[in-house]
């Protein structure tokens, strides 16, 4: 029995005899059902038509993406530390070559994911590398392939290792999380932001939305909550969810200025 993967959001579901009737992630107002209706694929089909690309983003940080792009098109990030590697966010495709290459790099000690749009094939990755998957408990209902590997964490922060801290920002999803990497950007600190803090085409700014494809903004308390959650952390660089979507410098100032601009626009 295959595990179905939604073609529009890339979420892999638990094994079923027939594809599921619908995808709750896409039915939600933050996403959308594909214009030609709900469509499903499988890992096997994806392996036949796509390859995995690994590219260094900065020393100690490897991007892992799929070509041609699948669904939302995000790439994951492998943070390499002396205490073990952490896979930040996830993708739908996992193939043998990638398991071999990542194993050569020391494997994966833990997976952590910003929000349900990137849960993708997290259980495949967790099983291949014997790793736990850290998800914020507030988004528990969106886990569509349950597994003993999933660790639901609660509260506002969670240490994954020395200098690696999960920070719950909320906003886009109630459990929306970013990963603070203290050693990133040559020790100035980096934020691995998923789309919880969204790098935008003008990379001197970021934005924050309840839905990106459907352009639903957040309210004032949500914006202030994100800024407050990040206040204790220093970071220069912000790595967004796609290749090249990076704020190179003054990341913390960029978040502060962008939040101010946003609040002005919504009358907050
Ligand atoms: Zn979907
Ligand atoms: Zn999202």
């Amino acid at each position: 029995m295959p595990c179905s993967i939604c073609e529009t959001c890339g979420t892999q579901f638990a094994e079923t005899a027939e594809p599921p009737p619908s995808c709750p992630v896409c039915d939600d107002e933050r996403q959308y059902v594909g214009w030609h209706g709900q469509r499903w694929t499988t890992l096997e089909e994806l392996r036949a038509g796509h390859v995995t690309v690994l590219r260094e983003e900065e020393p100690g940080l490897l991007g892992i993406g799929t070509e041609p792009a699948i669904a939302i098109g995000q790439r994951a990030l492998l943070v390499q530390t002396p205490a073990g590697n952490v896979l930040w966010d996830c993708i739908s495709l996992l193939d043998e070559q990638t398991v071999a290459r990542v194993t050569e790099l020391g494997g994966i000690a833990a997976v952590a994911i910003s929000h349900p749009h990137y849960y993708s094939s997290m259980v495949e990755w967790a099983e291949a590398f014997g790793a736990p998957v850290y998800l914020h408990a507030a988004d528990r209902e969106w886990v569509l392939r349950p597994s003993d590997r999933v660790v639901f964490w609660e509260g506002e922060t969670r240490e994954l290792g020395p200098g690696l801290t999960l920070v719950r920002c909320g906003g886009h999803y109630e459990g929306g999380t970013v990963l603070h990497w203290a050693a990133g950007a040559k020790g100035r600190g980096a934020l691995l932001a998923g789309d919880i803090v969204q790098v935008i085409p003008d990379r001197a700014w970021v934005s924050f939305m309840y839905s990106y494809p459907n352009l639903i903004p957040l309210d004032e308390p949500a914006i202030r909550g994100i800024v407050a959650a990040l206040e204790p952390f220093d970071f220069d660089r912000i790595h967004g969810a796609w290749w090249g979507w990076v704020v190179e410098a003054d990341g913390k100032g960029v978040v502060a200025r962008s939040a101010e601009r946003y609040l002005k626009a919504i009358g907050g």
Side-chain angles (χ1 to χ4, degrees), residues 211-230:
S211 168
Y212 294 97
N214 301 324
L215 304 175
I216 310 173
L218 288 167
D219 62 12
E220 181 183 346
I223 302 299
R224 295 202 187 280
I226 293 169
V227 173
L230 294 174

Side-chain angles (χ1 to χ4, degrees), residues 6 8-11 23 25-26 38:
C6 173
T8 307
C9 71
T11 303
C23 172
V25 176
C26 287
Q38 179 63 47

Side-chain angles (χ1 to χ4, degrees), residues 79-239:
V79 190
Q80 298 165 272
T81 85
N85 299 335
V86 171
L87 184 71
W88 170 247
D89 280 334
C90 202
I91 55 178
S92 299
L93 177 61
L94 179 61
D95 51 37
E96 265 176 42
Q97 292 104 307
T98 307
V99 173
R101 287 180 69 185
V102 172
T103 301
E104 273 168 33
L105 296 169
I108 295 173
V111 180
I113 303 182
S114 58
H115 74 298
H117 289 151
Y118 301 156
Y119 288 177
S120 58
S121 294
M122 61 181 177
V123 177
E124 297 287 337
W125 284 80
E127 287 180 351
F129 294 97
V133 183
Y134 291 88
L135 305 178
H136 197 279
D139 294 333
R140 183 189 289 264
E141 69 185 284
W142 301 103
V143 174
L144 297 166
R145 183 179 173 193
S147 164
D148 292 345
R149 302 261 177 209
V150 174
V151 178
F152 292 107
W153 66 279
E154 296 185 26
E156 302 309 309
T157 59
R158 167 95 184 217
E159 290 280 325
L160 281 187
L164 278 179
T165 311
L166 294 172
V167 183
R168 191 193 77 90
C169 289
H172 180 36
Y173 272 82
E174 201 186 332
T177 298
V178 299
L179 178 63
H180 180 255
W181 177 33
K186 295 188 174 143
R188 294 187 301 273
L191 205 64
L192 280 50
D195 61 3
I196 301 308
V197 172
Q198 171 80 309
V199 179
I200 52 179
D202 177 353
R203 296 180 299 174
W205 298 85
V206 294
S207 194
F208 323 87
M209 295 287 264
Y210 181 70
S211 168
Y212 294 97
N214 301 324
L215 304 175
I216 310 173
L218 288 167
D219 62 12
E220 181 183 346
I223 302 299
R224 295 202 187 280
I226 293 169
V227 173
L230 294 174
E231 186 45 43
F233 299 92
D234 287 324
F235 53 93
D236 202 36
R237 193 165 294 164
I238 304 174
H239 291 277

